[in-house]
Amino acid sequence: MTKLLLDGDPGHDDAVAILVAAQRLELLAVTTVFGNAPVEATTRNALAILELAGLEVPVAAGAARSLLGEPPPAAGAAHGGSGLDGVALPEPRRAPLGAHAVELLIETARAHREELVVALTGPQTNMALALRLEPRLPRWLRAVAIMGGSAGPGNVRPMACRNVVADPEAAYIVFGCGAPIFWLGFETSRTVLLREGDLARLRAGGRVARTVAALLDFYRQRYRRIYGAEGAPIHDALALLPWLRPDAVRLEPVALEVALAPGPTRGMTVVDRRGIRPDAGLPAEQMPKPANVQMAAAIDRDAAVETILEALLAYP
Ligand code: RIB
Ligand code: CA
């Protein structure tokens, strides 16, 4: 079974990713970061979601700010003030580990060399710090799955997504680290929404599924208000597809760079999909750079949704 560490900012869709990972993969640890809410809140949310499902997965809290210490994009718009509005989950009984997220990430990779997949579903600050602290990390990891950035429309900026805008320097480090990377952009993840029929199935499920349905109802209302869209996003859970349902995602190797310059493009993920042949013989500066990620170019919505619903409905 695939060994996974999820680093994220729960967050409604991070919460779905955690539950699906714990059900279908070997979720070894959860590490948290600022993003949808302050790191204290995302850590509490992670513990509360794990407790809801009766899961004793270790949780370690991580970065409260970006590498440069810039304030993150204003949170709350999609996830509410707590980062997980919609259901008042009981205060978790468990506390996070005393270790920092970066330590837990490095130690888990060391203990499961060449077996661990790290899923990044929030700002990539913890992973960037881990890469600087342990330069062997890219060789130790089986893969990195990233939800964040966009090859098209964004959310917090016209063509940039929250997780990268919150810490562009961290994303620049991670996308360039050399580990095998599966990358899911917002332009693709935003097309896979849970519809009323899907939520009705969850409402007919066990306590965990019913609670997730209530949480996603909140998220859906926010998406309707912000985008006029009809459905609940599950961005972060889709980042696990290559290990849950590989036939549901079409991969395309691309060169991806993070724009750092101040201004409207800062935090953009610039993706080269020109399709220029390697032997095109253009001037060097016009030729594509080597592909550094496997991009989710398309997702089979029905297959992806069925996989995620089945995992959530498997809980009591
Ligand atoms: O833009 C979508 C991403 O930002 C998701 O990870 C969501 O949880 C928020 O963190
Ligand atoms: Ca997230």
Side-chain angles (χ1 to χ4, degrees):
M1 191 181 277
T2 301
K3 298 178 189 296
L4 186 87
L5 180 149
L6 187 141
D7 180 90
D9 58 342
H12 294 71
D13 50 333
D14 308 72
V16 174
I18 287 169
L19 292 170
V20 171
Q23 185 64 235
R24 289 286 187 268
L25 307 174
E26 187 177 357
L27 181 60
L28 297 175
V30 173
T31 52
T32 58
V33 65
F34 75 97
N36 287 322
V39 68
E40 296 77 13
T42 60
T43 305
R44 180 233 175 257
N45 294 341
L47 287 162
I49 280 294
L50 289 166
E51 202 151 298
L52 167 76
L55 299 165
E56 293 292 321
V57 175
V59 175
R65 306 176 68 186
S66 70
L67 295 181
L68 297 187
E70 293 173 320
H79 301 274
S82 72
L84 200 59
D85 281 17
V87 173
L89 293 174
E91 217 36 51
R93 287 189 298 274
R94 274 198 303 146
L97 300 178
H100 190 279
V102 173
E103 294 171 278
L104 183 59
L105 201 162
I106 292 171
E107 287 319 307
T108 307
R110 187 198 311 274
H112 302 278
R113 225 160 289 194
E114 298 178 25
E115 295 183 304
L116 182 68
V117 174
V118 173
L120 304 178
T121 65
Q124 299 169 34
T125 313
N126 292 333
M127 184 68 176
L129 292 167
L131 286 163
R132 287 295 181 260
L133 205 55
E134 180 43 80
R136 295 170 292 181
L137 201 52
R139 296 195 300 276
W140 288 355
L141 294 176
R142 176 179 167 192
V144 180
I146 297 175
M147 194 286 129
S150 179
N155 48 23
V156 294
R157 286 198 180 143
M159 295 186 75
C161 166
R162 166 181 295 283
N163 290 344
V164 175
V165 171
D167 197 340
E169 280 71 21
Y172 183 93
I173 291 168
V174 174
F175 279 113
C177 77
I181 294 175
F182 166 69
W183 175 64
L184 173 63
F186 186 79
E187 85 292 341
T188 299
S189 67
R190 72 178 194 151
T191 66
V192 182
L193 303 176
L194 292 194
R195 301 172 183 143
E196 175 50 34
D198 304 316
L199 298 178
R201 283 178 63 187
L202 292 178
R203 290 189 205 104
R207 188 170 62 91
V208 172
R210 293 196 302 272
T211 304
V212 171
L215 287 167
L216 292 179
D217 267 330
F218 174 88
Y219 203 15
R220 174 173 65 162
Q221 288 164 30
R222 284 300 176 104
Y223 256 60
R224 184 186 298 132
R225 180 170 163 199
I226 298 168
Y227 299 104
E230 195 42 61
I234 44 173
H235 307 285
D236 295 332
L238 300 170
L240 306 177
L241 278 177
W243 297 278
L244 295 173
R245 186 77 191 269
D247 63 311
V249 56
R250 178 164 59 83
L251 301 177
E252 178 184 329
V254 296
L256 181 152
E257 286 185 277
V258 178
L260 299 177
T265 60
R266 176 166 167 77
M268 273 180 67
T269 42
V270 181
V271 177
D272 190 341
R273 302 186 76 190
R274 291 175 292 172
I276 291 175
R277 291 170 52 88
D279 59 358
L282 297 176
E285 69 276 7
Q286 294 178 22
M287 290 299 288
K289 294 187 176 172
N292 57 325
V293 304
Q294 289 289 335
M295 171 183 182
I299 288 177
D300 176 335
R301 182 224 172 265
D302 292 345
V305 166
E306 190 56 35
T307 300
I308 287 162
L309 291 182
E310 280 176 356
L312 294 171
L313 290 166
Y315 282 100

